[in-house]
Amino acid sequence: MTTHDTREGARVRTGLVLAVVSLALMTVVSAVSGLNVALPDLARETGATQTEITWIVDAYTVVFAGLLLFAGALGDRFGRRELLAGGLAVFGIAAGLGMLTSDPTQLIALRALMGVGAAAIMPTTLSIITTSFPVEQRGKAIGVWVGMAGGGAVLGLFGSGILLEFYSWSSFFGLNVALASLALLGTLVVVPSSVDENPPRLDLVGALLSLIAVAGTVFGIIEGSERGWGDALTLGGLGIGVLGLVGFVVWELLVSQPMLDPRLFRNRSFSAGSLTVMVQFFATFGLFFVVIQYLQFVVGRSPLEAAVALLPLPVVMIPLARNAPRIAHKVGFRRLAPLGLLFTAGGLVVVSQVGIDLTYWSFAVGLVLFALGMGLAGTPATTAITESLPESKQGVASAVNDTARELGSAFGIAILGSVLNQQYRDTMADAVHGLPPAVAEGAESSIAFTQSPHVQELGAAGQQLVSAAQHAFVDGIGAALLIAAAIVAVTAVVVAFLAPTQQDSGV
């Protein structure tokens, strides 16, 4: 066999590995965006309240974010291929069970189990790339990996939208099963096994504390809108989350081999990049969560039509993100990231002005501004994280980047979902006065209930209730997106001061 044949065979093998891990990554990412498209049909058919809807989405993201760092360490110790295969199996089985139930509580539990599988999948895919590809090919491979992360979100939106044109909401879980099965087969056939020869000690305490911190905080935020912010359970969840975070930081500072050394955040590029990534995904998945429901519940778009309405996002963001590193090299991350965040905030403000009747051109302008911000700041923020740490800590950099993404997603869905729910309930309190108790309770808990036969049977009173619910929902979306815009704008100012100059960062 000639040297050329050997090189060609190696290129084919690494190409197959890249295709498999990209498919696995797409499986994980599409499980968040795709569910947003299915939520209105799911709510109508299962009777899930607005709070339960938020939990069905966020149970996955909370567990995913809480276990990401620990899962990466497991792969290094026990085998990356084995962990990837195990994660895909857990993910696929949980999604398959999701097709068989219509109980909201069971769906929440199964989504959490899918989050366990996702946590095993995502960091392992990047580790497999860095251990399977030679240095000269690694950059391009990672670029494909980043592209698939964005492509997975688009696939989730349009794949679910197309399926829901012909099948019920549970077909979303069927898409998850199909993708996980294909990725699992590919993993077993083409992905090589690898382990870290000198793995760090497993940080079980740190893993538990990180999960408690994320889960407790998100629980308090989601439940506060329904139970009340002074409720003992709400305050208890928030308190446990804060204690978990403090405990995690203290523990990681004391332990000899920390899962994540908090002292790394003294590096201003690392901190600014992590904050930018987290807030961008806070805005993105918060936007997806509220806007896709608006397009279906209020405007009356089908799932596929709702996905198509969001096309300005990938059309603008994907090509801009590809060129953003060149722009960042010329003007510097310190200037580009705040500018991108301000564009994102501006887009949120424009979209927050939607009404009962959609004026699409205005909506599209908001999406374009939002996409400009994501495209300008996203890739440079990830680069700022990775380039701020030495080669020996690139695993930590990748894990922090992934964790920042998922934490942002979890808090975006929780906070915007909570504001939407609170505003909707407050506005509907007067509208349901004098209605039968069962109807009043159902209408206050979810806009989906107002589109059920129970309300249609009320005649003119039912039509008034539907109109009131639509107005209340629009008010909730406006409030949620304006709060998100304020958070993103404040972050832009913080990053402008926090990020080092080009000279200081060595860019």
Side-chain angles (χ1 to χ4, degrees):
M1 181 178 292
T2 65
T3 302
H4 173 75
D5 291 337
T6 302
R7 289 177 178 173
E8 189 63 29
R11 190 178 297 112
V12 170
R13 285 193 297 275
T14 54
L16 290 172
V17 170
L18 181 59
V20 169
V21 297
S22 297
L23 178 60
L25 177 65
M26 190 177 290
T27 301
V28 167
V29 176
S30 66
V32 180
S33 59
L35 181 58
N36 284 314
V37 178
L39 284 179
D41 283 354
L42 184 156
R44 294 186 189 104
E45 296 185 29
T46 66
T49 67
Q50 201 66 39
T51 299
E52 287 172 331
I53 288 172
T54 306
W55 268 121
I56 289 170
V57 178
D58 233 359
Y60 173 84
T61 315
V62 166
V63 176
F64 189 0
L67 294 178
L68 258 174
L69 291 170
F70 183 64
L74 283 178
D76 291 341
R77 177 173 287 271
F78 298 111
R80 300 177 181 97
R81 174 177 177 266
E82 290 73 17
L83 186 67
L84 178 58
L88 287 165
V90 169
F91 184 97
I93 290 170
L97 293 173
M99 297 178 66
L100 306 177
T101 184
S102 59
D103 179 74
T105 303
Q106 292 178 7
L107 287 171
I108 292 169
L110 288 171
R111 285 280 294 173
L113 185 58
M114 289 174 67
V116 174
I121 296 167
M122 190 172 193
T124 311
T125 58
L126 190 55
S127 295
I128 288 172
I129 288 176
T130 58
T131 56
S132 300
F133 282 75
V135 175
E136 63 272 14
Q137 297 178 17
R138 199 172 295 164
K140 290 184 179 180
I142 292 175
V144 172
W145 184 90
V146 172
M148 287 299 103
V154 175
L155 172 71
L157 287 174
F158 286 94
S160 295
I162 292 170
L163 285 172
L164 266 64
E165 288 290 306
F166 305 100
Y167 306 104
S168 73
W169 60 267
S170 61
S171 61
F172 157 77
F173 287 104
L175 176 63
N176 295 159
V177 172
L179 291 174
S181 299
L182 287 173
L184 176 58
L185 178 63
T187 298
L188 296 175
V189 172
V190 304
V191 174
S193 183
S194 63
V195 296
D196 191 336
E197 294 182 0
N198 299 294
R201 183 178 178 182
L202 287 178
D203 187 2
L204 296 174
V205 174
L208 179 61
L209 288 171
S210 66
L211 183 57
I212 290 172
V214 177
T217 306
V218 171
F219 177 88
I221 293 171
I222 293 176
E223 294 296 326
S225 61
E226 181 170 346
R227 298 176 183 273
W229 297 102
D231 180 78
L233 200 58
T234 300
L235 293 175
L238 292 171
I240 289 172
V242 171
L243 288 174
L245 176 60
V246 172
F248 175 78
V249 172
V250 172
W251 174 260
E252 296 299 293
L253 286 171
L254 295 176
V255 70
S256 59
Q257 291 183 311
M259 186 168 62
L260 173 61
D261 189 347
R263 285 173 286 257
L264 291 175
F265 289 96
R266 294 174 180 170
N267 184 309
R268 291 166 60 191
S269 289
F270 185 79
S271 297
S274 300
L275 180 61
T276 302
V277 168
M278 185 171 73
V279 171
Q280 281 199 308
F281 278 83
F282 162 89
T284 300
F285 281 90
L287 178 73
F288 282 168
F289 181 72
V290 300
V291 163
I292 292 176
Q293 291 186 71
Y294 160 76
L295 289 170
Q296 295 183 66
F297 279 136
V298 178
V299 181
R301 297 282 178 96
S302 71
L304 182 56
E305 289 171 339
V308 171
L310 298 177
L311 265 178
L313 286 173
V315 168
V316 173
M317 183 171 59
I318 291 174
L320 184 58
R322 191 180 305 123
N323 293 295
R326 279 205 306 260
I327 303 173
H329 183 74
K330 291 180 179 179
V331 305
F333 173 73
R334 187 181 189 182
R335 295 176 180 172
L336 191 62
L339 178 64
L341 289 167
L342 289 175
F343 271 121
T344 299
L348 289 169
V349 171
V350 174
V351 176
S352 75
Q353 304 305 305
V354 294
I356 300 297
D357 298 315
L358 175 67
T359 304
Y360 186 73
W361 72 264
S362 175
F363 180 74
V365 167
L367 294 181
V368 168
L369 288 172
F370 188 93
L372 283 171
M374 289 293 294
L376 286 173
T379 308
T382 296
T383 303
I385 295 171
T386 57
E387 289 187 351
S388 64
L389 297 183
E391 184 71 25
S392 61
K393 293 188 179 295
Q394 284 305 298
V396 173
S398 299
V400 168
N401 180 68
D402 293 344
T403 303
R405 288 165 56 111
E406 298 310 318
L407 277 176
S409 302
F411 284 116
I413 293 164
I415 293 174
L416 271 65
S418 183
V419 173
L420 169 60
N421 192 18
Q422 181 82 60
Q423 184 72 31
Y424 176 81
R425 284 175 172 274
D426 291 346
T427 307
M428 286 296 288
D430 291 335
V432 300
H433 184 71
L435 293 174
V439 174
E441 182 180 352
E444 273 192 288
S445 67
S446 173
I447 189 176
F449 180 86
T450 66
Q451 300 177 2
S452 68
H454 302 289
V455 174
Q456 294 172 5
E457 293 168 359
L458 297 176
Q463 291 300 315
Q464 291 178 352
L465 186 62
V466 170
S467 178
Q470 290 178 331
H471 280 91
F473 202 79
V474 168
D475 288 346
I477 287 173
L481 293 181
L482 285 175
I483 288 174
I487 292 172
V488 175
V490 170
T491 303
V493 176
V494 173
V495 171
F497 283 99
L498 180 62
T501 63
Q502 286 181 286
Q503 291 79 9
D504 293 339
S505 62
V507 175

